Amino acid sequence: MKVSKFGGTSVASAEQINKIASIVKADPSRKIIVVSAPGKRSNEDIKITDLLINLAEQALEQKDTIALQNQIIARYKMIAEELFVGREIVESISNDLSRRLEDTHLTKDQFIDQLKAAGEDNNAKLIAAYFNNIGLPAQYMNPKEAGLIVTDFPQPTQATEEAYNKLSELQHSEKIIVFPGFFGFTKSGLLRTFNRGGSDITGSILAAAVNASVYENFTDVDCVFSANPKVVNSPMEIEEITYREMRELSYAGFSVFHDEALMPVYKEQIPVNIKNTNNPLAAGTFIVAERKKNKGPITGITADSGFSTLYVSKYLMNRELGFGRKLLQILEEEYISYEHTPSGLDDISIIIRSHQLNKEKEERIVQRIVNELEAEEAYFRHGFSMIVLVGEGMNNSTGLAARAATAISRTGANIEMINQGSSEVSIVFGVLQEKEHVILRELYDEFFSKVNVYS
Amino acid sequence: MKVSKFGGTSVASAEQINKIASIVKADPSRKIIVVSAPGKRSNEDIKITDLLINLAEQALEQKDTIALQNQIIARYKMIAEELFVGREIVESISNDLSRRLEDTHLTKDQFIDQLKAAGEDNNAKLIAAYFNNIGLPAQYMNPKEAGLIVTDFPQPTQATEEAYNKLSELQHSEKIIVFPGFFGFTKSGLLRTFNRGGSDITGSILAAAVNASVYENFTDVDCVFSANPKVVNSPMEIEEITYREMRELSYAGFSVFHDEALMPVYKEQIPVNIKNTNNPLAAGTFIVAERKKNKGPITGITADSGFSTLYVSKYLMNRELGFGRKLLQILEEEYISYEHTPSGLDDISIIIRSHQLNKEKEERIVQRIVNELEAEEAYFRHGFSMIVLVGEGMNNSTGLAARAATAISRTGANIEMINQGSSEVSIVFGVLQEKEHVILRELYDEFFSKVNVYS
């Protein structure tokens, strides 16, 4: 049994939903279909989810929401008409939106969640209706009825143990199940959404719950590439990649698969197959526990910009028990998480994602460090990129760091930071943001284009 | 005005003290002489300080101490006789020891401190007497009278602001001042010793207090070498080195100069000259704020063994605000300080000096990490060395990390950890202990023996 999830662009129009029907028909083991809300049909298009968030905010501000509601309904109506699904479905979507807007006993966050989830929920109803119309016996499945119970506020939304038990019942369904992604319900019945991109999470939970043979994740690319195709010219396709590798890649820039979504399938060791709705015959990329195909020490190269460095120095810092801990505590009290902490004898640098900072926060942190920790120097620097090389077994590959550092130095760039030594599957280089692309290309050349004499 | 400190081997015998007299005579600006306790004359010899610690412990255990006292006094007597200094000085040393042993109102630590300090104190008296005998007008200076006031228990022993003010008076002395190293007095008059090797600290404090033109540190080597001569064949002599470089080198294995001793002279930017009592005409090594002579990006290479790694992994660790801080807190509660913390997405390694660990402590820490932080894995690994490359301006030297990593990979060794990015003067490589020497030689070859095409 396969669980197949279709992302935003795969369900953006009647034409796309038609492709889904063909895909589902082609393989009877595709029994559970998880769908996103209609995404963009073109670059200028607006995602339904964004319209819904907008709608929720307007409603909260007591503004008139009729125009926005109509815009959303029109989008579903167009899809429904092109699929020749009856008018009732559009009416039911319209009524559903009104009901959600009228639910005024909720907190602000709950209200927004409830509206956001309407995108997936109504799309699942529409697609189930379409499947039945064309002779594919299908059933829309409400996450509440199915038992997708999630943790309560203020914890982050996560499926509970109970959810997995209840959801496992879905494997006995005779009909094809069409399941809306992105949300579940707390024990007390409140709707909660997962993180953005959370339809991937729903699919992963279902695949784990029914112990699927594979979790298919349909998107709009043929596969995961070994480097960003927008930066590197025709990068190699990745046939197989491990969970750990995928997680490192998706964390640092690879947006193809939401990294939190790996957790449920990772636990049950269910392979994930990234596939293209527009080219379903392409094999795609398999995410697995252990790779069989191993071409070199590096599976992928990625980079992410938008990092800052907090530099702190104090003479004899390394003799001061608790200095590092106190420094991290100050950051924690400012709700700032950090990525790396390279250190010298008398200094430490903390690498932070810049979006967590602003001028006022930075000044307050620097003041606290100088006052409370009696540091001699403390300042922020901005504009760094982290380049991440990912590959299982790089730990056993003597000389890999040397090759990478040599390649980077060929570009004339300075290596501001190296983090190697804990992860067995990645090595991180900090560089100035403006050098990111030229370094990515040079590293790609080094590890993928050359005849591989080392590995 | 120069402050000249003579270490243990420089004051170990009459012959050596004779050399000191010649050195002092040769330069009238050598006005303040700081002396250690008599050190080893040969490999089998026992340092006076070690005998004194032994003596203190025996006395605390209420054992008979006559034999040990006589052994210590005999050593001074031999020096005194060979220097033709009168019997009174030996008697005064003998009385001094008895007085210290009878001081029973002290705590255990205070009692040991008081006895340990006798080595330097009596040696200073002896040497002052000898100087006067041979026509060098000299004066033994008691640190209490001179005003070397140090911080109180339980703080680590450090000179106070007041001490610097009082000690600055010494610059007006007409006679040569012979000052015992290693100890000072608290405000309330209690004797406290500095860290082991603390005569370097006394000399540095005095040099800063009198604003010396140079702080001469006489030892038994001609200079500081760019690598350990016991590992690398005839390493280059270092003519000039900066404070920061010296500190990094002395921290990781270079035992020539106590790193805490740099602080006072560093603050006042007083140059330090490491010289050889046995070859005083050699220029020695100058430790300065800014180097004028710059031959390459690397000034020295050093290594230290005896490191362990604590590895901790937990899925989605990087999303958990406060994880790193809590981990460091557990170590802090076990009084363990750490050196480096390379990290991956879901794991972190903490590099620790192994002498702080034992089996019981390790098990307790691992248990706490698993229970309190809900880590999936936590374990210790032992037997690592840290290789440190030191050089000002290595930050601006593109490709340096690449050259170093390439050199290491030529030895076939795996790089277990790289820490680069905070310190501007060092880069650290973690390797297996047994590879330390072969790597040191290869790195020395790379940065010192080859024609330097990069820098």
Side-chain angles (χ1 to χ4, degrees), chain A residues 197-217:
Chain A
S199 290
D200 283 344
I201 301 179
T202 303
S204 183
I205 292 167
L206 290 177
V210 303
N211 195 22
S213 61
V214 62
Y215 170 33
E216 293 182 322
N217 198 287

Side-chain angles (χ1 to χ4, degrees), chain A residues 315-316 376, chain B residues 158-161 164 204 208 211 243 260-272 289:
Chain A
Y315 199 75
L316 299 182
E376 282 156 28
Chain B
Q158 274 185 335
T160 59
E161 264 320 300
Y164 287 96
S204 182
N211 196 20
Y243 297 113
E260 206 180 320
L262 274 178
M263 177 79 124
V265 283
Y266 163 76
K267 276 192 175 164
E268 301 297 326
Q269 307 270 291
I270 292 163
V272 180

Side-chain angles (χ1 to χ4, degrees), chain B residues 254-296:
Chain B
F254 272 44
S255 59
V256 70
F257 198 70
H258 196 274
D259 71 334
E260 206 180 320
L262 274 178
M263 177 79 124
V265 283
Y266 163 76
K267 276 192 175 164
E268 301 297 326
Q269 307 270 291
I270 292 163
V272 180
N273 191 190
I274 308 277
K275 284 179 80 74
N276 190 351
T277 302
N278 306 313
N279 185 17
L281 294 180
T285 298
F286 276 91
I287 311 175
V288 293
E290 252 177 273
R291 269 196 283 135
K292 283 176 200 80
K293 295 164 186 165
N294 194 330
K295 284 181 175 152

Side-chain angles (χ1 to χ4, degrees), chain B residues 97-393:
Chain B
L97 264 193
S98 302
R99 254 197 320 276
R100 288 175 198 258
L101 282 166
E102 282 156 17
D103 212 345
T104 50
H105 68 281
L106 300 173
T107 68
K108 187 183 160 200
D109 284 347
Q110 289 164 358
F111 183 77
I112 294 172
D113 266 12
Q114 173 130 308
L115 271 161
K116 271 200 292 192
E120 278 75 6
D121 204 22
N122 287 307
N123 214 23
K125 289 177 194 162
L126 195 162
I127 290 168
Y130 170 61
F131 278 12
N132 281 314
N133 264 10
I134 59 167
L136 273 173
Q139 182 189 354
Y140 156 77
M141 181 57 69
N142 184 290
K144 195 181 217 165
E145 274 173 50
L148 208 185
I149 302 161
V150 296
T151 44
D152 218 328
F153 296 93
Q155 278 185 272
T157 318
Q158 274 185 335
T160 59
E161 264 320 300
E162 199 184 346
Y164 287 96
N165 290 333
K166 293 208 168 168
L167 292 168
S168 76
E169 292 301 315
L170 296 180
Q171 65 189 299
H172 306 303
S173 168
E174 306 246 307
K175 293 181 179 174
I176 293 163
I177 287 168
V178 183
F179 203 107
F182 195 30
F183 67 98
F185 289 86
T186 66
K187 196 94 182 145
S188 60
L190 282 170
L191 186 151
R192 289 194 78 186
T193 61
F194 294 112
N195 269 323
R196 198 81 196 250
S199 290
D200 283 344
I201 300 179
T202 304
S204 182
I205 292 167
L206 290 176
V210 303
N211 196 20
S213 61
V214 62
Y215 170 32
E216 292 182 323
N217 198 287
F218 280 89
T219 171
D220 52 5
V221 290
D222 271 3
C223 62
V224 179
F225 290 102
S226 51
N228 185 348
K230 285 176 190 154
V231 178
V232 171
N233 199 9
S234 318
M236 262 176 63
E237 301 185 354
I238 298 177
E239 291 175 63
E240 262 190 342
I241 185 170
T242 68
Y243 297 113
R244 296 202 295 178
E245 289 172 335
M246 190 66 230
R247 178 156 150 63
E248 297 269 352
L249 286 175
S250 58
Y251 180 70
F254 272 44
S255 59
V256 70
F257 198 70
H258 196 274
D259 71 334
E260 206 180 320
L262 274 178
M263 177 79 124
V265 283
Y266 163 76
K267 276 192 175 164
E268 301 297 326
Q269 307 270 291
I270 292 163
V272 180
N273 191 190
I274 308 277
K275 284 179 80 74
N276 190 351
T277 302
N278 306 313
N279 185 17
L281 294 180
T285 298
F286 276 91
I287 311 175
V288 293
E290 252 177 273
R291 269 196 283 135
K292 283 176 200 80
K293 295 164 186 165
N294 194 330
K295 284 181 175 152
I298 301 292
T299 301
I301 306 173
T302 180
D304 211 0
S305 57
F307 288 90
S308 298
T309 301
L310 168 60
Y311 175 86
V312 179
S313 74
K314 180 177 183 182
Y315 198 76
L316 298 182
M317 178 192 290
N318 72 314
R319 299 259 180 118
E320 200 176 322
L321 190 66
F323 190 93
R325 193 264 308 157
K326 285 177 207 153
L327 182 58
L328 296 184
Q329 186 131 27
I330 289 177
L331 291 177
E332 193 178 335
E333 283 162 19
E334 296 282 350
Y335 298 103
I336 287 171
S337 65
Y338 63 92
E339 309 294 315
H340 316 281
T341 57
S343 58
L345 278 186
D346 296 332
D347 45 44
I348 183 165
S349 291
I350 303 191
I351 318 287
I352 296 168
R353 284 191 188 263
S354 311
H355 69 81
Q356 303 176 92
L357 300 169
N358 58 49
K359 202 153 175 282
E360 188 201 344
K361 230 176 183 179
E362 289 177 20
E363 282 171 8
R364 193 167 55 229
I365 290 168
V366 164
Q367 268 314 309
R368 287 192 63 184
I369 291 169
V370 170
N371 294 342
E372 296 169 28
L373 305 186
E374 297 175 10
E376 282 156 27
E377 255 189 312
Y379 56 80
F380 281 90
R381 284 170 69 208
H382 305 286
F384 296 99
S385 283
M386 295 295 136
I387 310 267
V388 187
L389 296 185
V390 177
E392 292 275 353

